[in-house]
Amino acid sequence: MLKVEHVYWLIGAFLLIAAGMNVRQRRWSMAAFWFVLSGAFLLGDLVQLATAAGVRWPAQAMGLGVVALGLLAASGTMQTKTAGEEERRESASRLGNRLFAPALAIPLVTLAIVLGAPYLRWGEASLIDGAHLTLASLGLACLVALAFALRTTRSTLPQSLAEGRRLLDTLGCVALLPMLLATLGSVFAATGVGDAIAALVEMLIPTDSRLACLAAFAFGMVLFTVIMGNAFAAFPVMMAGIGLPLLVLRHGAEPAALGAIGMLTGYCGTLLTPMAANFNIVPAVLLELSDQYGVIRAQIPTALALLAVNLALMWFLVFR
């Protein structure tokens, strides 16, 4: 059975390879960064088991590793390395739009595997872990896309690993940001941030007003998405603090409409923040734009227009 742990192990193995390649080139800080990060993917299950058994030092060692990652990222010694301009132009002119095929294969193959998972069985056993079906399917789709990319570019697996390492080095510590942000929403919810927001909102706005509560929810979704870089992380916090207690329970808002449009409203914040690194910073780095925040500046009018439209939609649809 393909489990999500197998995907993590594969990522950890690639990070180890990237660290080894950097060691050969004497890029010690970059090598140390990927080596430490690989431990989280390769040893995460063992750390969890040790913690459950009452052995605390593996988790403490992992915490020291996180501190080490922060120090390496802040040291300024993780220099990037990009391909030459002439090499990029030659490759682009040779391959053209065929380069998009492997990238498009990832979502298409993921969708096909998720939809076909009930039929992917060996006797009575499922071939893919149903508990983490989407993540396991995504990992398998990436392997299919890799094979497709090797065929399209007529490259070899060692070449693909070297280019993958170069791309990873180009991103540097930015590659880690989406993973950190993914945990932020659950951390905020577990620490009672939603309750604190509810108390703060009741102090600052007239909670008997539907419009005031709705505006607080919408702008709160945008603000927390700007802070966290991810509307999924902001959603549980804002629903716990404003959506459920004030809009749904007090003013009778329709939960489905509030959740759907509220999530879309949070994405307006995604367009405005460098914390959404995979959307706004990574493209600027890969395209070597002169303005690191050029993508965000171009998206500001769209974000504000969408916010106004979403506010109107919520007002007319949530309280029907």
Side-chain angles (χ1 to χ4, degrees), residues 112-123 125-128 133 137 140:
I113 296 175
V114 169
L115 295 178
Y119 309 100
L120 299 176
R121 309 186 68 84
W122 183 268
S126 176
L127 295 179
I128 300 179
L133 177 60
S137 301
L140 184 58

Side-chain angles (χ1 to χ4, degrees), residues 133-145:
L133 177 60
T134 303
L135 290 177
S137 301
L138 178 60
L140 184 58
C142 289
L143 293 178
V144 174

Side-chain angles (χ1 to χ4, degrees), residues 238-294:
M238 296 312 300
M239 281 299 290
I242 301 176
L244 287 177
L246 298 179
L247 289 171
V248 175
L249 298 180
R250 179 173 297 189
H251 295 293
E254 174 61 38
L258 180 66
I261 306 175
M263 180 69 77
L264 187 59
T265 303
Y267 291 134
C268 298
T270 301
L271 299 176
L272 299 171
T273 177
M275 295 298 287
N278 48 332
F279 295 109
N280 299 333
I281 300 300
V282 169
V285 172
L286 295 181
L287 296 174
E288 298 183 7
L289 300 181
S290 57
D291 183 2
Q292 184 180 9
Y293 303 110

Side-chain angles (χ1 to χ4, degrees), residues 114-170:
V114 169
L115 295 178
Y119 309 100
L120 299 176
R121 309 186 68 84
W122 183 268
E124 297 297 322
S126 176
L127 295 179
I128 300 179
D129 182 15
H132 301 93
L133 177 60
T134 303
L135 290 177
S137 301
L138 178 60
L140 184 58
C142 289
L143 293 178
V144 174
L146 173 61
F148 197 5
L150 292 177
R151 180 177 178 82
T152 301
T153 60
R154 294 188 173 91
S155 298
T156 63
L157 183 58
Q159 284 178 306
S160 70
L161 292 174
E163 284 300 301
R165 191 271 311 182
R166 183 187 64 79
L167 180 62
L168 194 63
D169 286 354
T170 301

Side-chain angles (χ1 to χ4, degrees), residues 38-123:
S38 69
F41 289 93
L42 295 173
L43 305 175
D45 287 344
L46 295 178
V47 172
Q48 186 176 12
L49 290 174
T51 303
V55 181
R56 304 184 65 178
W57 69 262
Q60 294 170 345
M62 192 68 71
L64 291 175
V66 172
V67 174
L69 292 177
L71 293 175
L72 287 169
S75 66
T77 58
M78 294 179 59
Q79 301 174 353
T80 59
K81 179 181 178 182
T82 60
E85 179 71 18
E86 183 178 345
E87 181 183 351
R88 291 200 302 269
R89 289 185 180 275
E90 188 278 331
S91 178
S93 61
R94 177 171 58 89
L95 297 172
N97 291 331
R98 287 183 295 163
L99 282 172
F100 289 102
L104 292 174
I106 295 176
L108 294 177
V109 174
T110 300
L111 180 62
I113 296 175
V114 169
L115 295 178
Y119 309 100
L120 299 176
R121 309 186 68 84
W122 183 268

